[in-house]
Amino acid sequence: MAASGKIVQNVFVAQCCQRNRQLDTQFTMRNSLPFQARKLAWTGFSAMQLRSLASYQSGPGNRGTVYCNAVPATSAAPHLEKVDFKKLQNGSDIRGVAVAGVEGEPVNLTEPVTEAIAAGFAAWLLDKKKIDASKRLRVSIGHDSRISAQSLQDAVSRGLAGAGLEVVQYGLASTPAMFNSTLSEDEEFICPVDGSIMITASHLPYNRNGFKFFTNAGGLGKADIKDILERAANIYANFSVESLKYSEQAASASVKRVDYMSVYTSGLVKAVRKAAGNIEKPLEGFHIVVDAGNGAGGFFAAKVLEPLGAITSGSQFLEPDGLFPNHIPNPEDKAAMKAITQAVLDNKADLGIIFDTDVDRSAAVDSAGREFNRNRLIALMSAIVLEEHPGTTIVTDSVTSDGLTTFIEKKLGGKHHRFKRGYKNVIDEAIRLNSVGEESHLAIETSGHGALRENHWLDDGAYLMVKLLNKLASAQASGSAGGSKVLTDLVEGLEEPAVATELRFKIDQNHTDLKGGSFRDYGEAVLKHLENTIDSDPKLQKAPVNYEGVRVSGYGGWFLLRLSLHDPVLPLNIEAPSSEDAVKLGLAVLSAVKDFSALDTSALDKFVQAS
């Protein structure tokens, strides 16, 4: 991290850690049921759970070691603001503002809020696991490179430890590694854990942060997050300055620190070696550059590629820096893709790999600078998976192209099942298809989230890249090495549109047209009207099977207008063989929605005029 970045980070931590101390000390305390009951009263645990916890926590001589990395606090007493916990839900994640100072956004992910959320997860986990007196639940915590990560990790630790759970801090980690820790059985690294929390806000601005939760069954869903936040709100309502001071000074469970990333990365290395016939350095001679965007993915160069024999010189932005000074860590971002493309060309590399902040998404670039992201990445992964599982169904999100469908079904002999936006929606749909007898081995979004059945349906950007490395390694082992052309050849024949764009129509929630109703109701009314309008236009045809919004073909291309999963926005995707055809599709939409005054269609107006 640059010196200026360190200064900003230190200033921030000093300002926001309102009650942490630089402890790194040990304390001894004797647990008893009354002690635990006092501590857990505000967490909403049942009397039965309290008795069960007490049976393994109580007893003479119990000792706990609690560590805290935060710098000295500026204030000993936290200020408890009123918080709407429901607004922290972002689908199957929790996200909020952790740092003040960006566009005047109020901070709603404070340390007390975080502590309450962790305690809410603990209560949820205890209910799900149905613990008995012989077992003590263990939860791992990891975080990406954000500047608020350390203070939130400590707050999560207090919430979990105060609820009687054993806490294992992994420090800087990737989201996929956190899920993997619920499956791993390496006891040297305190595995497996019963639950896992990743502190991340993916590619959002540096002032945001949030949480993803896992058990060995996978990532938690929307209903689970809603449940946890409801528990957290009740817990938070009973907080006081005294109880928070108490939780800081008297956490009953020991907090341990473990380098779990070494376990996770060794698994990736073994996977590539196995694919190449157990060759020690199957990537020897390949030059591969990595762009981690100053997120958590810098490990991939030194811990995965180099042990496999690859040259990684020219890799960039590997150092964690939560201010993201070079570009947004996001494989969908044009500036980010330009950065990794330029690195590949400048270094004459065989392949470039780029990750998002927490490494659950990725993309690649071949030696000629051709990007493998969005539809191309899906096509490439589909080609690899369909070689291994002929005829399988590939599940994608709703905005994938018609050309991709043709490629999967006509060229590869698979089946394309286009579903809803949202990586969890796509993954859950693939799981559902398998449960009803339709084989599916890949669920992947245009955003770069990709999950494979063989990898426990975990959306793991590093594992996706391992699948590409497997192709390079096996080609080299068989004597048919050709650099990244091995990968480029796999997507030969993919039809790509001349024009592809996404435009966003914002819904003014204060407009009189909403009449006090929700933006969702208004958005659904827009879509219904568009659907009725399309029925009367012989040049346009609705998609016969569609799970989200209104998808229409015409003029050699297609458009999809849908309602955003979380925001008062109707995104419009258009793909067409020419600008003229794209404009015709855009005008068809514009004509249908023109009377909806609360809808801001200025982006489409500009697109039509510019084309």
Side-chain angles (χ1 to χ4, degrees):
M1 182 186 292
S4 59
K6 289 182 179 178
I7 292 171
V8 171
Q9 180 169 354
N10 289 338
V11 169
F12 161 73
V13 176
Q15 290 174 340
C16 77
C17 286
Q18 294 177 312
R19 54 193 175 74
N20 276 355
R21 303 289 193 272
Q22 184 93 29
L23 294 178
D24 280 331
T25 58
Q26 296 184 349
F27 64 83
T28 303
M29 63 187 182
R30 188 178 301 273
N31 292 327
S32 65
L33 180 56
F35 172 88
Q36 291 300 329
R38 289 198 308 273
K39 178 68 189 87
L40 297 173
W42 49 263
T43 64
F45 292 109
S46 67
M48 181 180 295
Q49 287 170 334
L50 284 172
R51 287 195 296 272
S52 179
L53 283 167
S55 67
Y56 63 74
Q57 290 174 348
S58 60
N62 259 1
R63 296 174 182 267
T65 304
V66 176
Y67 299 100
C68 176
N69 283 338
V71 299
T74 57
S75 169
H79 179 56
L80 297 178
E81 299 283 357
K82 186 176 181 180
V83 175
D84 186 347
F85 277 77
K86 294 191 297 293
K87 290 185 177 180
L88 293 172
Q89 181 161 5
N90 185 68
S92 55
D93 300 341
I94 289 174
R95 288 184 182 170
V97 179
V99 182
V102 177
E103 299 179 356
E105 294 173 302
V107 174
N108 59 1
L109 198 61
T110 63
E111 289 185 56
V113 167
T114 296
E115 189 168 335
I117 290 171
F121 176 63
W124 178 91
L125 191 62
L126 285 163
D127 277 347
K128 294 295 180 182
K129 294 291 184 179
K130 307 295 183 186
I131 66 167
D132 57 35
S134 66
K135 181 167 176 57
R136 183 178 186 179
L137 295 186
R138 179 186 295 150
V139 174
S140 58
I141 311 170
H143 60 76
D144 66 21
S145 60
R146 293 172 183 277
I147 60 175
S148 55
Q150 185 63 60
S151 61
L152 296 189
Q153 176 184 252
D154 292 339
V156 169
S157 299
R158 289 192 297 272
L160 295 174
L165 277 61
E166 185 175 351
V167 181
V168 188
Q169 292 183 354
Y170 291 166
L172 186 70
S174 70
T175 292
M178 299 310 297
F179 171 57
N180 199 71
S181 70
T182 68
L183 304 172
S184 177
E185 296 182 356
D186 191 331
E187 287 296 333
E188 180 184 351
F189 289 91
I190 318 179
C191 302
V193 295
D194 300 286
S196 182
I197 301 175
M198 177 65 181
I199 303 171
T200 182
S202 188
H203 62 283
L204 293 183
Y206 76 89
N207 70 315
R208 304 295 184 92
N209 217 326
F211 311 103
K212 295 182 179 182
F213 302 88
F214 301 95
T215 67
N216 59 6
L220 272 57
K222 293 179 182 179
D224 299 318
I225 300 302
K226 183 174 182 289
D227 185 354
I228 289 169
L229 286 173
E230 287 173 351
R231 294 173 190 259
N234 291 331
I235 292 167
Y236 187 81
N238 290 291
F239 271 167
S240 66
V241 171
E242 290 73 23
S243 69
L244 288 171
K245 283 183 179 179
Y246 184 76
S247 72
E248 178 181 355
Q249 298 169 6
S252 61
S254 60
V255 177
K256 300 179 176 64
R257 291 195 184 90
V258 167
D259 174 22
Y260 180 74
M261 286 302 291
S262 61
V263 177
Y264 170 74
T265 54
S266 68
L268 299 178
V269 171
K270 289 175 184 176
V272 180
R273 286 174 176 160
K274 181 179 179 181
N278 295 316
I279 299 173
E280 182 72 12
K281 294 184 179 296
L283 296 180
E284 196 161 24
F286 283 105
H287 188 171
I288 303 173
V289 296
V290 176
D291 185 327
N294 301 112
F299 69 85
F300 201 80
K303 299 296 185 180
V304 178
L305 293 175
E306 290 176 11
L308 293 169
I311 301 165
T312 63
S313 59
S315 293
Q316 59 192 15
F317 317 139
L318 305 182
E319 305 79 11
D321 186 337
L323 295 175
F324 310 129
N326 295 291
H327 62 68
I328 297 172
N330 182 4
E332 285 191 289
D333 182 68
K334 290 182 179 179
M337 290 307 298
K338 183 178 179 181
I340 182 60
T341 299
Q342 196 61 50
V344 168
L345 297 176
D346 289 348
N347 291 278
K348 297 181 173 56
D350 296 298
L351 185 70
I353 292 173
I354 185 169
F355 296 111
D356 76 336
T357 318
D358 59 325
V359 201
D360 59 1
R361 295 188 294 136
S362 58
V365 176
D366 71 10
S367 58
R370 186 182 189 190
E371 298 174 359
F372 291 114
N373 64 349
R374 299 185 63 79
N375 284 285
R376 284 184 193 163
L377 179 61
I378 297 174
L380 178 56
M381 287 303 305
S382 297
I384 292 171
V385 169
L386 280 160
E387 277 187 357
E388 300 168 347
H389 306 283
T392 196
T393 295
I394 309 297
V395 182
T396 74
D397 59 346
S398 61
V399 300
T400 47
S401 71
D402 288 347
L404 179 65
T405 303
T406 301
F407 181 76
I408 290 172
E409 299 189 348
K410 304 297 184 183
K411 176 76 183 296
L412 302 178
K415 181 179 178 182
H416 183 195
H417 184 85
R418 188 184 286 116
F419 197 58
K420 300 176 183 177
R421 285 283 276 179
Y423 72 93
K424 198 73 169 63
N425 288 332
V426 173
I427 292 171
D428 288 347
E429 180 67 0
I431 294 171
R432 185 193 70 80
L433 290 177
N434 281 289
S435 73
V436 298
E438 181 174 341
E439 183 185 276
S440 177
H441 287 269
L442 174 65
I444 185 167
E445 257 203 323
T446 48
S447 65
H449 280 286
L452 292 119
R453 183 176 178 179
E454 69 188 53
N455 194 37
H456 309 282
W457 291 117
L458 169 63
D459 52 318
D460 185 343
Y463 193 83
L464 279 193
M465 293 300 103
V466 161
K467 295 293 286 186
L468 305 193
L469 298 179
N470 287 349
K471 292 299 295 183
L472 297 181
S474 58
Q476 178 149 286
S478 65
S480 57
S484 59
K485 190 175 185 299
V486 172
L487 304 177
T488 307
D489 288 347
L490 289 175
V491 297
E492 186 178 352
L494 174 65
E495 298 172 8
E496 300 187 79
V499 178
T501 188
E502 180 174 286
L503 309 169
R504 297 172 70 80
F505 302 164
K506 293 182 179 179
I507 300 173
D508 181 357
Q509 298 183 80
N510 298 317
H511 199 282
T512 54
D513 276 10
L514 269 68
K515 300 175 183 176
S518 72
F519 75 83
R520 294 206 161 277
D521 291 339
Y522 191 82
E524 292 294 346
V526 173
L527 294 174
K528 185 65 176 177
H529 184 73
L530 173 61
E531 195 169 20
N532 293 335
T533 303
I534 296 306
D535 286 338
S536 62
D537 190 335
K539 295 180 181 178
L540 300 174
Q541 183 177 5
K542 288 188 300 184
V545 179
N546 186 50
Y547 295 92
E548 183 173 47
V550 179
R551 187 178 179 110
V552 174
S553 297
Y555 304 106
W558 60 273
F559 71 75
L560 172 69
L561 186 68
R562 60 185 175 86
L563 184 59
S564 170
L565 296 176
H566 311 296
D567 302 317
V569 172
L570 286 164
L572 172 67
N573 291 85
I574 299 176
E575 289 191 3
S578 69
S579 295
E580 182 181 353
D581 292 320
V583 167
K584 290 176 182 177
L585 291 169
L587 288 173
V589 176
L590 200 57
S591 175
V593 305
K594 63 183 178 183
D595 293 330
F596 289 85
S597 303
L599 200 63
D600 180 4
T601 61
S602 58
L604 181 54
D605 294 329
K606 292 177 183 177
F607 174 76
V608 169
Q609 293 169 9
S611 301

